Amino acid sequence: MTADAPRGVDAPPELVQLLTPEGERIEHPDYDIELTAEEVRSLYRDLVLVRRIDLEAVALQRQGELGIWASLLGQEAAQIGSGRALTDADMAFPTYREHGVAWCRDVDPVKLLGLFRGVSNGGWDPAEHNFHLYTIVIGSQALHAVGYAMGVQRDGAEAATIVYFGDGATSQGDVNESFIWASVFNAPVVFFCQNNQWAISEPLEKQSKIPLYKRASGFGFPGIRVDGNDVFACLAVTRRALQNAREGQGPTLIEAFTYRMGAHTTSDDPTRYRLADELEAWKLKDPIERVKAYLFKNQLADQEFFEKIDAEADALGKDVRSRCLALPDPPPGAIFDHVYAGAHALLDEEREQYLTYLAGFER
Amino acid sequence: MTTLTLAKALNEGLRRSMEDDPKVLVMGEDVGKLGGVFRVTDGLQKDFGEDRVIDTPLAESGIIGTAIGLALRGYRPVCEIQFDGFVFPAADQIITQLAKMPLRSLGALKLPVVVRIPCGGGIGAVEHHSESPEAYFTHTAGLRVVACSNPADAYTMIQDAVRCDDPIIFFEPKRRYWDKADVDLAAPGLPLDRARTVRQGRDVTLVAYGPMVKTCLEAAAAAEEDGRSVEVVDLRSLNPLDMDVLTESVTRTGRCVVVHEAPVFTGFGAEIAARVTERCFYSLEAPVLRVGGFSTPYPPSRLEDHYLPDLDRVLDAVDRSFAY
Ligand SMILES: Cc1ncc(C[n+]2csc(CCOP(=O)(O)OP(=O)(O)O)c2C)c(N)n1
């Protein structure tokens, strides 16, 4: 691939795929998966609902209700597939675009919106969902995940840890150090890299000369590339990697080969750096359309089912919107809350001084 | 004279530097086709090529570490750190290597590396995009630390920084990137290590740098309506500090208020307060006061207007100074 050619138009041969873009089910010798009709419908529902949350968030940003938003458009299958592979006991460490994984972990989407609206820098209790806080500094969370997994290992618990990051993040020292740690300590962790081909304006070629999944071998653990737009394959591959981790076989790097359909964030202008044909080529690989085609072809769902899901998505969109608009600004005193677990004299003094100063304006 | 935004003035300054010296390189994340997330490097790759305007891998320690190597080989890298909060992955290279290698070589090595950092808040961003990390770097001997506050200075300061043989941390006030002003592209500008009195006054000296200079000028204008004559000093250079301008000013006005966005506690203002007190003790009518952020992390954006010093908080401090 040269820097200017549309990337990902021809799927790389080593890609694990179980469902083609046309909705054909295909077999894989190592990674097959049995899914009931009900399970497939449920995956479809998740894909549609998280896309709707995302679209609503983009609209809210455009209307000035969110400062910024990092859209997951195009990456739904990678997130829902991997997210649904997790058991309740597993722990997930996201970056800032994992709205689909958050959905699988039952985090209220409005809490995600709150972060981008600027009412908090997090807003949920990670322990309640086994879904850690969003991390904005690229790559930091990879080391946290490995440390957490080392804790799980010491506790002898039946659980795995998964950490999400992008293609750009693989350049960071922290991510490379996390590979080393995971490898030498045989930590029960799965590295889930969503290779969406771009790190803001920089194509994958600016981060790596080799396919990302191959990085793993240099660190001494397996790497595997999966069709990131195929929810079945993402589910199957992640489930296996998590199981291996739980069974003491150590880490796996999964590279979900996918595409960022929108801008990097709502502040970005992708027309400055990427070609329109690339986008067109990837549209044909849409993660939702292929499950829909599969359900239709195999008569596992009828028109009524799809309408019902659409209606549910509409209702969810409305609900998310109205609750986002209703999010109040925190009171000024909140600046001083939760900075320390214990009492802190300087902070108490500053809080009192500032609130007194503010009260002066009311007189 | 031409009218430029601060971002464009930096862009023009970088362009001049690259034209003047083929050893000057620009490097960082997204600095090429995108022109940087703030477009400060817009068009440079088109005109100077990918060998001189380098889109780097997403790795800040890598950016500074390789810039050090390039400098050792005679190049003059100008590194962009995308946002203030992302300089920390590079802190090791900056603090343990960039700042100290010239000394280690007893002066045999020069490291003319500029580290550009868009800094400060006020743009409604998420975490790590609004910080003021200057104190970490002013505390590190071996670095020069400067902060521009307006387009004309930005234009000359960036060129002087690139020409300088020492490593420089170059702060750019991101919420002022879009402010416009006249820039004389032929004028040499004030030397990099000098402070400038940007407004004359008799009663109190406001000391600021970067984004807070504009806030202080607004406060000074408002104070004038109340009959107070406020002087404003733009430090420009934080390390070294131009104590001559400060001493002269405070000796005359007898009052001093330092304003910055970073937390007050062990912030850069503490250094100014201590030095001004030492130099001007017998002229001072009141203790040197500081206005800045709280001893908390930068808050979520819906609260940033409370955290950031504004005109009212500056005027309140001026009032307190007069109350002594
Ligand atoms: C340490 C650090 N440096 C720079 C940034 C600014 N930044 C935010 S996202 C991004 C690109 C990330 O690309 P990638 O890892 O591929 O993830 P994607 O957003 O494409 O999912 C950059 C450079 C950051 N957040 N953290």
Side-chain angles (χ1 to χ4, degrees):
Chain A
M1 255 189 279
T2 68
D4 287 327
R7 63 214 72 245
V9 176
D10 301 313
E14 71 278 33
L15 199 70
V16 176
Q17 190 181 64
L18 301 179
L19 185 66
T20 69
E22 295 73 35
E24 297 295 343
R25 187 75 167 78
I26 45 178
E27 308 256 297
H28 191 282
D30 303 324
Y31 291 99
D32 213 24
I33 193 170
E34 295 271 338
L35 292 166
T36 65
E38 189 46 44
E39 283 170 327
V40 179
R41 283 193 293 263
S42 159
L43 289 171
Y44 176 81
R45 173 176 174 269
D46 284 342
L47 294 171
V48 172
L49 295 186
V50 299
R51 179 168 290 184
R52 179 57 61 95
I53 293 166
D54 188 70
L55 290 176
E56 204 62 46
V58 172
L60 282 161
Q61 195 282 333
R62 295 279 178 252
Q63 291 153 16
E65 298 294 341
L66 303 180
I68 192 172
W69 178 252
S71 164
L72 65 42
L73 189 69
Q75 301 181 220
E76 295 88 347
Q79 296 194 14
I80 298 298
S82 61
R84 284 296 173 214
L86 299 168
T87 65
D88 284 349
D90 296 337
M91 180 70 176
F93 285 82
T95 163
Y96 45 75
R97 203 189 289 282
E98 270 65 80
H99 322 313
V101 186
W103 172 257
C104 295
R105 301 310 268 172
D106 286 331
V107 176
D108 181 352
V110 176
K111 297 212 164 138
L112 310 177
L113 268 61
L115 191 158
F116 290 94
R117 186 175 171 87
V119 302
S120 87
N121 285 338
W124 58 91
D125 176 1
E128 194 183 315
H129 306 276
N130 269 2
F131 183 75
H132 197 71
L133 300 166
Y134 274 6
T135 305
I136 290 174
V137 179
I138 298 292
S140 287
Q141 77 280 10
L143 283 164
H144 311 158
V146 174
Y148 189 93
M150 289 165 66
V152 169
Q153 189 179 41
R154 273 159 184 67
D155 296 344
E158 259 291 292
T161 300
I162 190 167
V163 54
Y164 292 87
F165 49 83
D167 39 295
T170 62
S171 295
Q172 283 288 357
D174 278 5
V175 171
N176 287 274
E177 291 182 28
S178 77
F179 289 171
I180 293 167
W181 246 257
S183 175
V184 303
F185 291 102
N186 204 43
V189 64
V190 174
F191 297 104
F192 195 93
C193 174
Q194 289 169 82
N195 173 5
N196 66 10
Q197 315 299 331
W198 292 92
I200 310 189
S201 73
E202 299 194 8
L204 182 62
E205 294 77 16
K206 292 282 180 223
Q207 316 291 342
S208 183
K209 294 272 272 185
I210 60 160
L212 292 177
Y213 76 96
K214 289 195 175 169
R215 289 263 170 101
S217 75
F219 290 93
F221 55 90
I224 176 147
R225 183 181 254 180
V226 59
D227 182 343
N229 287 20
D230 171 354
V231 73
F232 296 176
C234 288
L235 177 59
V237 167
T238 313
R239 200 177 260 173
R240 169 74 66 80
L242 290 166
Q243 192 52 33
N244 288 346
R246 286 186 209 105
E247 288 168 1
Q249 294 177 53
T252 304
L253 170 62
I254 299 174
E255 177 192 357
F257 199 80
T258 182
Y259 194 75
R260 188 192 85 205
M261 295 300 287
H264 168 71
T265 66
T266 45
S267 309
D268 175 39
D269 173 11
T271 62
R272 281 185 160 247
Y273 54 81
R274 85 177 174 195
L275 302 168
D277 14 335
E278 186 172 301
L279 203 63
E280 292 308 313
W282 277 92
K283 266 191 194 148
L284 303 174
K285 299 170 190 268
D286 187 79
I288 300 186
E289 288 308 316
R290 69 173 78 179
V291 183
K292 190 172 190 175
Y294 172 78
L295 284 168
F296 243 140
K297 275 188 197 160
N298 295 283
Q299 296 174 354
L300 300 175
D302 53 14
Q303 195 55 38
E304 198 186 327
F305 167 80
F306 294 113
E307 280 167 15
K308 203 185 93 208
I309 300 288
D310 286 345
E312 195 183 349
D314 286 344
L316 176 64
K318 264 198 196 125
D319 171 62
V320 163
R321 160 170 293 266
S322 65
R323 287 194 297 125
C324 175
L325 297 181
L327 281 176
D329 284 357
I335 288 180
F336 305 96
D337 295 341
H338 311 300
V339 181
Y340 298 96
H344 189 284
L346 173 62
L347 220 56
D348 292 343
E349 182 189 319
E350 288 186 6
R351 178 193 289 112
E352 196 188 315
Q353 273 172 4
Y354 187 59
L355 295 180
T356 306
Y357 162 80
L358 280 184
F361 288 94
E362 282 153 24
R363 268 185 266 118
Chain B
M1 281 292 181
T2 156
T3 306
L4 298 177
T5 62
L6 193 151
K8 185 67 182 155
L10 288 165
N11 180 274
E12 284 297 326
L14 284 171
R15 176 176 294 280
R16 282 285 169 102
S17 301
M18 296 190 80
E19 280 164 2
D20 290 351
D21 182 352
K23 295 290 188 188
V24 175
L25 306 175
V26 165
M27 52 197 283
E29 296 156 13
D30 303 291
V31 296
K33 267 195 187 146
L34 190 65
V37 292
F38 291 107
R39 309 289 184 259
V40 170
T41 57
D42 198 14
L44 296 180
Q45 191 180 66
K46 196 165 126 272
D47 297 339
F48 296 96
E50 290 188 26
D51 279 348
R52 292 192 63 198
V53 180
I54 307 164
D55 267 335
T56 65
L58 207 180
E60 287 76 11
S61 183
I63 294 172
I64 304 302
T66 56
I68 290 172
L70 283 159
L72 292 175
R73 184 68 196 176
Y75 287 89
R76 305 182 87 86
V78 184
C79 305
E80 175 171 303
I81 298 293
Q82 202 157 73
F83 281 92
D84 34 57
F86 309 140
V87 70
F88 299 112
D92 173 34
Q93 286 290 343
I94 295 175
I95 295 170
T96 69
Q97 306 304 318
L98 183 63
K100 298 186 174 69
M101 210 179 276
L103 173 68
R104 212 175 280 149
S105 72
L106 302 179
L109 300 177
K110 291 189 173 62
L111 289 183
V113 175
V114 179
V115 183
R116 295 182 34 241
I117 309 178
C119 69
I123 63 163
V126 290
E127 212 185 352
H128 314 298
H129 289 71
S130 305
E131 299 184 11
S132 302
E134 60 269 20
Y136 296 105
F137 300 111
T138 53
H139 194 67
T140 300
L143 302 173
R144 290 177 187 269
V145 181
V146 303
C148 59
S149 69
N150 63 73
D153 263 354
Y155 175 71
T156 59
M157 284 173 76
I158 189 69
Q159 293 180 70
D160 289 344
V162 175
R163 264 192 297 268
C164 178
D165 281 336
D166 288 319
I168 298 193
I169 307 294
F170 193 97
F171 285 109
E172 303 171 2
K174 67 171 85 78
R175 69 167 140 152
R176 309 294 184 212
Y177 269 144
W178 303 279
D179 285 2
K180 282 188 179 166
D182 284 342
V183 179
D184 181 351
L185 296 177
L190 202 60
L192 199 55
D193 55 0
R194 291 287 176 69
R196 176 188 274 132
T197 304
V198 285
R199 181 186 167 107
Q200 314 275 337
R202 292 179 314 275
D203 302 336
V204 55
T205 303
L206 292 181
V207 182
Y209 50 90
M212 281 295 120
V213 172
K214 184 175 179 183
T215 306
C216 287
L217 285 170
E218 287 165 1
E224 188 168 277
E225 289 170 18
D226 296 338
R228 272 187 188 144
S229 169
V230 179
E231 181 145 309
V232 180
V233 173
D234 177 357
L235 288 178
R236 298 171 82 255
S237 176
L238 311 192
N239 185 5
L241 197 56
D242 184 353
M243 277 312 293
D244 292 347
V245 167
L246 279 183
T247 309
E248 186 281 322
S249 175
V250 179
T251 307
R252 200 162 23 78
T253 62
R255 295 176 202 280
C256 179
V257 176
V258 194
V259 185
H260 56 55
E261 291 189 10
V264 166
F265 188 70
T266 58
F268 190 67
E271 187 61 38
I272 310 271
R275 282 178 188 265
V276 166
T277 304
E278 275 177 30
R279 292 272 190 115
C280 312
F281 188 69
Y282 293 105
S283 314
L284 282 170
E285 309 277 345
V288 180
L289 299 179
R290 290 169 289 161
V291 184
F294 306 116
S295 303
T296 68
Y298 194 88
S301 62
R302 292 272 164 159
L303 287 171
E304 70 181 339
D305 288 347
H306 288 286
Y307 180 93
L308 291 169
D310 61 4
L311 194 137
D312 284 330
R313 271 171 68 197
V314 176
L315 291 175
D316 177 65
V318 168
D319 285 347
R320 279 189 283 127
S321 178
F322 277 92
Y324 278 90

